[in-house]
Amino acid sequence: MHGPASPGWLLVALCAAAGAYCLLRMRSVVEDQRRTAGGEALMGFGMAAMAVPAAVVAPPHWTWLGYAAVFGAAALRALWAARGGGHHLHHLVGTCAMVYMAGVMAASPGHHHAHGASGVPLVTGALLVYFTAYVLLSGVRLLPVAAVAGSTGSTGSTGSTGSRLPGPARTPGWGDRPELSQACRLSMGIAMLAMLVTL
């Protein structure tokens, strides 16, 4: 992507860390958690690869076409999965945004141009509005709320999707922590905003 090298490397580190946590979530005992974690890991690592500063490594033209193909396939999978729930719609928007950014980078001459000189302004603006709203809502969801007395049961504990973990009441593992998965999604939303702004 475009922009200075130092923030670019920070973006790479943030996205790679989010992708690594999503891989950890794939070991969850909650089926829905495992299902969504794979797509989110792909997004995290794909965003990390796309965020490598172009001044350091200038990928060949075919790389951007490869990103577009991979995320196009992920978008089709997210479209199929969106029939079952609203969170998959966010995956669909995210994968379509990745296809859009890869297409813009593939179409830009030399992949080095002035800030804001590429992309379709209407599409970029719509994606910026969407991800800004997503980041703000995700941030609000992370705010602590007062616990309701008697809200924990003795037959199981609640996973990040609201489903019950099997077995007796226990502390969720790292892959099942709702606040961590929400923070991971928030981080990727912020990274997406940073990448869209540089188009």
Side-chain angles (χ1 to χ4, degrees):
M1 297 302 296
H2 317 298
S6 293
W9 285 117
L10 290 173
L11 191 59
V12 168
L14 175 70
C15 294
Y21 176 69
C22 290
L23 285 180
L24 179 63
R25 286 180 37 226
M26 289 180 72
R27 296 178 41 199
S28 171
V29 296
V30 180
E31 181 182 347
D32 191 46
Q33 187 74 272
R34 287 190 309 266
R35 195 176 312 130
T36 61
E40 290 173 356
L42 174 68
M43 287 291 292
F45 289 125
M47 289 169 63
M50 286 180 78
V52 172
V56 176
V57 178
H61 178 74
W62 61 264
T63 304
W64 301 112
L65 299 176
Y67 286 140
V70 167
F71 286 105
L76 290 175
R77 183 181 179 281
L79 179 62
W80 181 258
R83 300 172 302 127
H87 182 69
H88 295 289
L89 291 175
H90 172 69
H91 286 179
L92 178 61
V93 172
T95 54
C96 288
M98 293 294 283
V99 170
Y100 170 69
M101 288 189 293
V104 167
M105 295 303 290
S108 66
H111 312 302
H112 299 284
H113 51 273
H115 174 74
S118 64
V120 179
L122 184 62
V123 175
T124 303
L127 289 171
L128 283 169
V129 167
Y130 173 81
F131 282 104
T132 299
Y134 181 79
V135 163
L136 292 174
L137 287 173
S138 295
V140 167
R141 288 184 191 134
L142 281 174
L143 293 175
V145 293
V148 178
S151 64
T152 59
S154 60
T155 59
S157 57
T158 304
S160 65
T161 59
S163 56
R164 305 292 285 177
L165 295 176
R170 61 182 178 185
T171 304
W174 284 102
D176 296 319
R177 302 287 304 227
E179 67 278 6
L180 291 178
S181 60
Q182 190 63 38
C184 177
R185 291 180 187 121
L186 174 64
S187 298
M188 288 195 294
I190 292 169
M192 187 68 79
L193 275 172
M195 292 172 74
L196 285 166
V197 165
T198 63
L199 286 182

